[in-house]
Amino acid sequence: MSEADLLIRRARMLTLGDHPEAPLVGAAMGELGVVADGWLAARSGVITAVGDGMGWRNLTLAEGAVVRDLGGRVLLPGFVDPHTHLCYGGQRWDEFAARRGGGDYLRLLAGGGGIHATVRATTEASEAELHALLVDRLRRAATLGTTTIEVKSGYGLEPAEELRQLRLIAKARRSVSIDVSPTYLAAHALPPSLASDRSGFLERAAATVAVVSAERLAESVDAFVERGVFSVDEVRPLAAAARRAGLTVRLHADQLNDVGACSFAAEIGAGSADHVSQASDAGLLALARAGVPAVLLPGSSLFVGYPAPDFARFASAGVAVAIGTDHNPGTSPLEGMPTAIALAVSLCRLTPQQAIAAATLNAAHALGRGGITGALVPGRRADLITLETDDERELAYRLGVRLIDEVYAAGRLVPRSVHMSV
């Protein structure tokens, strides 16, 4: 065994390692691979060994190795946030207040608010401002335990602005210690100025996929498939362009209405179907048969006010479930996967253990990183969190309490303090 440069011992260790090769489904999500007196060793950012008891004494430690004794506190994989919209300018406090006063989200969107308000603020922001805001948000996510995160474009709409945002995301990912998975959200909304040219807008979005692929600006292509936004048939050419370019397709699917988006996601072998609050039984069965994970986003349900997806339906259908923050300025401004875990338990009826699996191993698989992170097993990246508790259920139970102690991204300690740079 090679020398270890990181050793964490005497931990209540959640390995998620019993069956890490695939996402967990239903009741199996409650099996977290707990090692009561566990230890973990890593070298050069990769886990080299795990065990229990005093087996760590047989390790050879490199000079200057970091050693942590948790005294029975929890050690678990770093969180994976598979759905965010972090690249934006401005806020939408007025819209939030309007919705709380009875305003309907789709009507606000049709009237030039919602996504369109953020598009205006984002396109008006300078590159320096957007870059600083994005890096700050990524660093804050890291301090709350996220070691892998998806970030979408989507607040440009027109190809040139979408490419600007993707290039800023590429620049920001080089400035942070955590792993960033970029997504080209090609069809987020139709610009009001193009209301009479839907087909032309979608053709330009699909054509831009080739540029995105050539510059390696994204791993995935996304679309908002919803009544009054884009239909399944409208986004078919976009999905085909993504697949030709070797990019994964993700979908905002059946969030507010059942429009057949989950069945479409299954048909094309999408990387994930996200939101899915109004998915039909047939849509869920299609996802299960195709092995397409569903990403539940309870923050959006909370802030917009629509019914949260019921985990029992997904478990019964055999759909693998992940959870994410959906961080965005309008419909889910929450920060941090611990809050997403707590909301998934309280609103979507996962158990605390199932929510942890959804936020780690299953979310890693939803992002195509199931063989890289999400479990504490040899060969995986040393993405780790230590908690200030000996009971992982507190993540869901003590909403709003900071339980994250240390965060390691690829074996490197993430600084706890974050300062706004703009």
Side-chain angles (χ1 to χ4, degrees):
M1 185 183 300
S2 63
E3 294 181 332
D5 56 25
L6 173 65
L7 169 63
I8 301 178
R9 64 193 184 196
R10 290 213 305 149
R12 176 175 170 81
M13 185 166 62
L14 315 182
T15 69
L16 279 298
D18 291 345
H19 302 284
E21 66 281 353
L24 303 176
V25 178
M29 291 173 63
E31 302 298 323
L32 300 182
V34 177
V35 180
D37 181 16
W39 58 265
L40 176 148
R43 173 75 177 180
S44 300
V46 177
I47 299 170
T48 56
V50 296
D52 62 351
M54 306 299 285
W56 58 267
R57 288 186 170 180
N58 298 321
L59 297 172
T60 300
L61 297 180
E63 183 177 354
V66 174
V67 178
R68 294 286 186 268
D69 188 316
L70 297 193
R73 292 183 291 113
V74 174
L75 169 68
L76 72 159
F79 298 132
V80 177
D81 190 344
H83 186 123
T84 81
H85 302 257
L86 294 184
C87 188
Y88 66 86
Q91 299 292 343
R92 278 157 50 191
W93 298 302
D94 290 345
E95 177 191 323
F96 172 71
R99 288 201 314 271
R100 292 302 88 194
D104 176 77
Y105 174 72
L106 289 179
R107 287 197 186 96
L108 290 166
L109 177 64
I115 293 165
H116 299 300
T118 299
V119 168
R120 290 191 293 272
T122 304
T123 55
E124 291 169 1
S126 71
E127 291 194 5
E129 289 171 333
L130 276 182
H131 176 262
L133 287 167
L134 177 53
V135 169
D136 178 72
R137 290 169 187 144
L138 289 169
R139 289 175 176 167
R140 288 210 303 266
T143 66
L144 293 170
T146 296
T147 54
T148 301
I149 193 167
E150 188 252 21
V151 179
K152 303 179 191 295
S153 67
Y155 290 126
L157 305 187
E158 291 287 7
E161 181 61 24
E162 289 293 315
L163 290 170
R164 180 179 85 121
Q165 290 175 25
L166 288 169
R167 291 171 183 137
L168 283 170
I169 293 168
K171 180 180 177 182
R173 71 189 299 198
R174 296 191 292 268
S175 304
V176 296
S177 59
I178 64 175
D179 183 23
V180 177
S181 173
T183 294
Y184 170 36
L185 180 43
H188 200 188
L190 182 69
S193 61
L194 297 177
S196 61
D197 189 24
R198 296 178 67 87
S199 60
F201 169 79
L202 289 165
E203 287 171 6
R204 289 190 294 276
T208 304
V209 170
V211 180
V212 171
S213 177
E215 294 189 29
R216 298 184 179 180
L217 293 175
E219 299 173 3
S220 306
V221 175
D222 197 351
F224 187 7
V225 185
E226 177 56 72
R227 186 178 299 165
V229 188
F230 297 108
S231 70
V232 166
D233 286 340
E234 285 178 319
V235 301
R236 280 185 183 278
L238 175 65
R243 296 172 74 188
R244 285 195 300 271
L247 301 180
T248 301
V249 177
R250 305 192 184 282
L251 294 176
H252 287 59
D254 299 333
Q255 177 182 359
L256 303 172
N257 300 278
D258 172 26
V259 294
C262 283
S263 294
F264 176 57
E267 174 191 331
I268 63 174
S272 66
D274 300 10
H275 285 291
V276 297
S277 294
Q278 299 300 316
S280 66
D281 291 343
L284 295 187
L285 288 173
L287 292 180
R289 293 189 185 110
V292 175
V295 177
L296 310 189
L297 302 166
S300 178
S301 299
L302 176 70
F303 279 93
V304 178
Y306 59 86
D310 184 353
F311 172 72
R313 295 185 64 225
F314 296 82
S316 177
V319 179
V321 166
I323 59 174
T325 64
D326 189 27
H327 177 100
N328 73 81
T331 60
S332 186
L334 68 87
E335 295 192 27
M337 287 297 284
T339 302
I341 287 171
L343 293 181
V345 172
S346 294
L347 299 182
C348 303
R349 301 199 301 168
L350 286 79
T351 68
Q353 292 88 348
Q354 289 167 338
I356 290 171
T360 54
L361 180 64
N362 282 16
H365 280 287
L367 273 189
R369 283 161 164 74
I372 298 171
T373 191
L376 304 185
V377 296
R380 301 291 176 99
R381 196 167 56 216
D383 294 337
L384 323 166
I385 307 168
T386 67
L387 300 184
E388 295 180 347
T389 177
D390 61 1
D391 193 326
E392 61 276 5
R393 293 174 297 182
E394 287 202 50
L395 284 169
Y397 179 64
R398 299 185 68 194
L399 178 61
V401 174
R402 182 185 174 92
L403 295 172
I404 306 298
D405 182 16
E406 290 187 329
V407 180
Y408 293 85
R412 298 179 62 184
L413 183 66
V414 172
R416 290 192 64 166
S417 61
V418 176
H419 301 285
M420 285 294 292
S421 46
V422 294

CSV table of all heavy atoms in Angstrom, one decimal, residues 4-9 40-42 61-69 406 408 411-413:
chain,number,residue,atom,x,y,z
A,4,ALA,N,0.0,7.2,2.7
A,4,ALA,CA,-1.2,8.0,2.8
A,4,ALA,C,-0.9,9.5,3.1
A,4,ALA,O,0.0,9.7,4.0
A,4,ALA,CB,-2.2,7.5,3.8
A,5,ASP,N,-1.5,10.4,2.5
A,5,ASP,CA,-1.2,11.8,2.9
A,5,ASP,C,-2.5,12.4,3.6
A,5,ASP,O,-2.5,13.5,4.0
A,5,ASP,CB,-0.9,12.7,1.7
A,5,ASP,CG,-1.9,12.6,0.5
A,5,ASP,OD1,-3.1,12.3,0.8
A,5,ASP,OD2,-1.5,12.9,-0.6
A,6,LEU,N,-3.5,11.6,3.7
A,6,LEU,CA,-4.7,12.0,4.5
A,6,LEU,C,-5.2,10.7,5.2
A,6,LEU,O,-5.4,9.7,4.6
A,6,LEU,CB,-5.8,12.5,3.6
A,6,LEU,CG,-7.2,12.8,4.3
A,6,LEU,CD1,-7.0,13.9,5.3
A,6,LEU,CD2,-8.2,13.2,3.2
A,7,LEU,N,-5.4,10.8,6.5
A,7,LEU,CA,-6.0,9.8,7.3
A,7,LEU,C,-7.1,10.3,8.2
A,7,LEU,O,-6.8,11.3,9.0
A,7,LEU,CB,-5.0,9.1,8.2
A,7,LEU,CG,-5.5,8.1,9.2
A,7,LEU,CD1,-6.2,6.9,8.6
A,7,LEU,CD2,-4.3,7.6,10.1
A,8,ILE,N,-8.3,9.8,8.1
A,8,ILE,CA,-9.4,10.1,9.0
A,8,ILE,C,-9.8,8.9,9.7
A,8,ILE,O,-10.1,7.9,9.1
A,8,ILE,CB,-10.6,10.7,8.3
A,8,ILE,CG1,-10.1,12.0,7.5
A,8,ILE,CG2,-11.7,11.1,9.2
A,8,ILE,CD1,-11.2,12.6,6.7
A,9,ARG,N,-9.8,8.9,11.1
A,9,ARG,CA,-10.0,7.7,11.9
A,9,ARG,C,-11.0,7.9,12.9
A,9,ARG,O,-11.4,9.1,13.2
A,9,ARG,CB,-8.7,7.3,12.5
A,9,ARG,CG,-8.1,8.2,13.5
A,9,ARG,CD,-6.7,7.9,13.9
A,9,ARG,NE,-6.2,8.8,14.9
A,9,ARG,CZ,-4.9,9.0,15.2
A,9,ARG,NH1,-4.0,8.3,14.6
A,9,ARG,NH2,-4.5,9.8,16.2
A,40,LEU,N,-10.4,6.0,7.0
A,40,LEU,CA,-10.2,6.2,5.6
A,40,LEU,C,-8.8,6.8,5.3
A,40,LEU,O,-8.4,7.7,6.0
A,40,LEU,CB,-11.3,7.1,5.0
A,40,LEU,CG,-11.2,7.5,3.5
A,40,LEU,CD1,-12.6,7.7,3.0
A,40,LEU,CD2,-10.4,8.8,3.3
A,41,ALA,N,-8.2,6.3,4.3
A,41,ALA,CA,-6.9,6.8,3.9
A,41,ALA,C,-6.9,7.2,2.4
A,41,ALA,O,-7.6,6.6,1.6
A,41,ALA,CB,-5.8,5.7,4.1
A,42,ALA,N,-6.2,8.3,2.1
A,42,ALA,CA,-6.2,8.8,0.7
A,42,ALA,C,-4.8,9.2,0.4
A,42,ALA,O,-3.9,9.6,1.3
A,42,ALA,CB,-7.1,10.0,0.6
A,61,LEU,N,2.3,6.6,6.7
A,61,LEU,CA,1.9,8.0,6.4
A,61,LEU,C,3.1,8.8,5.8
A,61,LEU,O,4.2,8.7,6.2
A,61,LEU,CB,1.5,8.6,7.8
A,61,LEU,CG,0.3,8.0,8.5
A,61,LEU,CD1,0.0,8.8,9.7
A,61,LEU,CD2,-0.9,8.0,7.6
A,62,ALA,N,2.7,9.6,4.8
A,62,ALA,CA,3.7,10.4,4.1
A,62,ALA,C,4.1,11.5,5.1
A,62,ALA,O,3.4,11.9,6.0
A,62,ALA,CB,3.1,11.0,2.9
A,63,GLU,N,5.3,12.1,4.9
A,63,GLU,CA,5.7,13.2,5.7
A,63,GLU,C,4.7,14.4,5.5
A,63,GLU,O,4.3,14.7,4.4
A,63,GLU,CB,7.1,13.7,5.2
A,63,GLU,CG,7.6,14.8,6.1
A,63,GLU,CD,9.1,15.2,5.7
A,63,GLU,OE1,9.6,14.5,4.8
A,63,GLU,OE2,9.6,16.2,6.2
A,64,GLY,N,4.3,14.9,6.6
A,64,GLY,CA,3.3,16.0,6.6
A,64,GLY,C,1.9,15.6,6.4
A,64,GLY,O,1.0,16.4,6.1
A,65,ALA,N,1.6,14.3,6.5
A,65,ALA,CA,0.2,13.8,6.3
A,65,ALA,C,-0.8,14.5,7.2
A,65,ALA,O,-0.4,14.7,8.4
A,65,ALA,CB,0.2,12.3,6.4
A,66,VAL,N,-2.0,14.7,6.7
A,66,VAL,CA,-3.0,15.2,7.6
A,66,VAL,C,-3.7,14.1,8.3
A,66,VAL,O,-4.1,13.1,7.6
A,66,VAL,CB,-4.0,16.0,6.7
A,66,VAL,CG1,-5.2,16.5,7.6
A,66,VAL,CG2,-3.4,17.2,6.1
A,67,VAL,N,-3.9,14.1,9.6
A,67,VAL,CA,-4.5,13.1,10.4
A,67,VAL,C,-5.6,13.7,11.2
A,67,VAL,O,-5.4,14.7,11.9
A,67,VAL,CB,-3.5,12.4,11.3
A,67,VAL,CG1,-4.3,11.3,12.1
A,67,VAL,CG2,-2.4,11.7,10.5
A,68,ARG,N,-6.8,13.2,11.1
A,68,ARG,CA,-8.0,13.7,11.8
A,68,ARG,C,-8.6,12.5,12.6
A,68,ARG,O,-8.9,11.5,12.0
A,68,ARG,CB,-9.1,14.3,10.9
A,68,ARG,CG,-8.6,15.5,10.1
A,68,ARG,CD,-8.6,16.7,11.1
A,68,ARG,NE,-8.3,18.0,10.4
A,68,ARG,CZ,-7.0,18.4,10.2
A,68,ARG,NH1,-6.0,17.8,10.7
A,68,ARG,NH2,-6.9,19.6,9.6
A,69,ASP,N,-8.8,12.8,13.9
A,69,ASP,CA,-9.5,11.8,14.7
A,69,ASP,C,-10.9,12.4,15.0
A,69,ASP,O,-11.0,13.4,15.7
A,69,ASP,CB,-8.7,11.6,16.0
A,69,ASP,CG,-9.3,10.5,16.9
A,69,ASP,OD1,-10.5,10.4,17.0
A,69,ASP,OD2,-8.5,9.7,17.4
A,406,GLU,N,-15.6,19.8,8.4
A,406,GLU,CA,-14.6,20.0,7.4
A,406,GLU,C,-15.1,19.3,6.1
A,406,GLU,O,-15.8,18.4,6.1
A,406,GLU,CB,-13.3,19.3,7.8
A,406,GLU,CG,-12.6,20.0,9.0
A,406,GLU,CD,-11.2,19.4,9.3
A,406,GLU,OE1,-11.0,18.2,9.0
A,406,GLU,OE2,-10.3,20.2,9.7
A,408,TYR,N,-13.5,18.1,2.3
A,408,TYR,CA,-12.3,17.8,1.5
A,408,TYR,C,-12.7,17.6,0.1
A,408,TYR,O,-13.6,16.7,-0.2
A,408,TYR,CB,-11.6,16.6,2.0
A,408,TYR,CG,-10.9,16.8,3.4
A,408,TYR,CD1,-11.7,16.6,4.5
A,408,TYR,CD2,-9.6,17.1,3.5
A,408,TYR,CE1,-11.2,16.8,5.8
A,408,TYR,CE2,-9.0,17.3,4.8
A,408,TYR,CZ,-9.8,17.1,5.9
A,408,TYR,OH,-9.3,17.3,7.2
A,411,GLY,N,-9.3,15.4,-1.7
A,411,GLY,CA,-8.3,15.2,-0.6
A,411,GLY,C,-7.8,16.5,-0.1
A,411,GLY,O,-7.0,16.5,0.9
A,412,ARG,N,-8.2,17.7,-0.6
A,412,ARG,CA,-7.7,19.0,-0.1
A,412,ARG,C,-8.8,19.7,0.7
A,412,ARG,O,-10.0,19.7,0.3
A,412,ARG,CB,-7.3,19.9,-1.3
A,412,ARG,CG,-6.2,19.3,-2.1
A,412,ARG,CD,-5.9,20.2,-3.3
A,412,ARG,NE,-5.4,21.5,-2.9
A,412,ARG,CZ,-5.1,22.5,-3.7
A,412,ARG,NH1,-5.3,22.3,-5.0
A,412,ARG,NH2,-4.7,23.6,-3.2
A,413,LEU,N,-8.4,20.2,1.8
A,413,LEU,CA,-9.3,20.9,2.7
A,413,LEU,C,-9.9,22.1,2.1
A,413,LEU,O,-9.1,23.0,1.6
A,413,LEU,CB,-8.6,21.2,4.1
A,413,LEU,CG,-9.5,21.8,5.1
A,413,LEU,CD1,-10.6,20.9,5.6
A,413,LEU,CD2,-8.6,22.3,6.3
